[in-house]
Amino acid sequence: CHFRGGKDVIAFYTRERPENGILKGKALTLGGSSQINKFSNKSYYGDLSAVLIENLPFWANFIRTPSAEVALIPDFENKLEKIVTHTHHENVTSIAGVPSWNLVLLQRVLDYTGKANILQVWPNLELFTHGGVSFTPYREQFEKLIPSDHMNYLETYNASEGFFGIQDELDRDDMLLMLDLGVFYEFIPMDLFDEPKPPTCTVKDVKEGVNYAIVITTNGGLWRYMIGDTIVFTSLNPHKFKITGRTKYYINAFGEEVILDNAEKALMSACRETGARV
């Protein structure tokens, strides 16, 4: 599921930017760590990103950096230091990961190299594939660190449970629901979420503009599992959506229907008005 999603990311970006040069350099990935499961020597566990790195096909190592040995260092501070020293001289053309983690990494790169911005370190950098948290509060800081009109930002929606969505058009801020990666979707309207037996619908019955909680059944073995996220569909042909928040951050005690997306937009607006940074 995740490997196919990663290939689709490259395919969508290449369709949008046929002249791109991301495969002429390296993709910098800041992942988690993995550990041997002390209860069984035949299994291991760890962050999703680490499990993926350990199982990448051999050809992926030609276009990624740092080495798996560095990428899987458990201690985050030690990992950051090693990544900076191992990658600052590489031809990095794309980066991928969680915005908050990568913001820290990019600042470390500048501190280490003494450069004014990231393009002085990696002049061919053109793509940041991000996910995990909303990019909205972080966009302005990335644009200051990477001052280029040719820099592209592409959102993905993946989690440990599966790969669910990809921003397939760079001039839109919604994502395409991935229907062919081994995930079956059901949706609960959030205004009925608190009912004892809330109704669910499949993709054929969803409506635009309605907040839904997602229920998934996957080829990884999950059965009608609620991942805790809420989305709203922006298009039904094809099915495109935006992440609006988490079910536990949905406030509807008195009909206010406040979602995390509202709070993040308010935060961005407040930062713009006051000059504050997250």
Side-chain angles (χ1 to χ4, degrees):
C1 178
H2 281 280
F3 289 143
R4 287 187 61 194
K7 293 174 185 176
D8 283 346
V9 168
I10 297 175
F12 285 142
Y13 181 67
T14 300
R15 185 190 65 186
E16 290 288 287
R17 296 287 187 271
E19 73 291 350
N20 78 79
I22 59 171
L23 297 182
K24 295 179 181 178
K26 297 288 186 70
L28 173 58
T29 53
L30 176 58
S33 64
S34 65
Q35 307 169 56
I36 296 298
N37 186 334
K38 64 179 69 176
F39 298 108
S40 169
N41 291 328
K42 296 181 180 180
S43 65
Y44 62 93
Y45 66 95
D47 298 328
L48 167 69
S49 52
V51 175
L52 292 176
I53 288 171
E54 288 201 327
N55 289 276
L56 282 171
F58 76 93
W59 54 263
N61 292 312
F62 297 128
I63 57 172
R64 63 171 299 277
T65 191
S67 66
E69 181 183 2
V70 171
L72 297 174
I73 292 174
D75 181 74
F76 187 69
E77 288 297 320
N78 187 20
K79 186 207 305 276
L80 275 185
E81 181 181 344
K82 288 290 198 318
I83 288 178
V84 171
T85 56
H86 280 71
T87 64
H88 75 276
H89 60 278
E90 297 262 24
N91 177 28
V92 174
T93 54
S94 65
I95 55 179
V98 179
S100 50
W101 291 6
N102 277 273
L103 199 59
V104 175
L105 173 62
L106 295 182
Q107 193 59 58
R108 289 288 183 90
V109 170
L110 294 183
D111 293 342
Y112 180 83
T113 61
K115 301 297 185 181
N117 64 65
I118 291 298
L119 293 179
Q120 294 177 2
V121 183
W122 299 317
N124 298 316
L125 181 63
E126 63 173 275
L127 175 66
F128 177 35
T129 304
H130 58 86
V133 298
S134 171
F135 190 55
T136 301
Y138 298 98
R139 178 178 289 275
E140 185 177 346
Q141 293 182 73
F142 273 89
E143 291 174 347
K144 287 181 179 178
L145 290 174
I146 312 170
S148 170
D149 293 335
H150 302 293
M151 185 66 187
N152 298 293
Y153 299 92
L154 189 149
E155 185 175 10
T156 62
Y157 176 30
N158 61 325
S160 301
E161 297 87 358
F163 207 120
F164 311 124
I166 301 173
Q167 181 184 348
D168 65 325
E169 296 181 70
L170 292 171
D171 59 351
R172 293 179 60 125
D173 60 354
D174 51 9
M175 289 179 278
L176 181 69
L177 185 68
M178 306 307 293
L179 298 173
D180 60 345
L181 298 185
V183 181
F184 178 77
Y185 301 94
E186 296 174 84
F187 304 93
I188 303 173
M190 282 305 294
D191 58 351
L192 303 175
F193 184 75
D194 292 326
E195 292 191 2
K197 292 184 178 180
T200 63
C201 57
T202 61
V203 289
K204 77 181 181 66
D205 295 317
V206 295
K207 299 177 181 178
E208 289 185 34
V210 176
N211 263 299
Y212 292 103
I214 309 175
V215 180
I216 59 171
T217 297
T218 78
N219 55 9
L222 292 175
W223 181 262
R224 302 202 79 198
Y225 178 79
M226 193 176 302
I227 58 177
D229 293 326
T230 61
I231 67 169
V232 61
F233 283 97
T234 55
S235 166
L236 300 182
N237 187 24
H239 283 83
K240 294 193 176 187
F241 67 94
K242 292 182 181 180
I243 302 171
T244 54
R246 301 279 292 170
T247 54
K248 64 181 179 180
Y249 297 146
Y250 181 80
I251 303 173
N252 194 32
F254 303 101
E256 60 271 57
E257 295 189 359
V258 176
I259 55 179
L260 188 60
D261 186 54
N262 303 143
E264 287 174 342
K265 287 178 179 177
L267 182 62
M268 182 179 68
S269 177
C271 287
R272 189 183 300 118
E273 293 294 324
T274 63
R277 295 193 308 167
V278 179

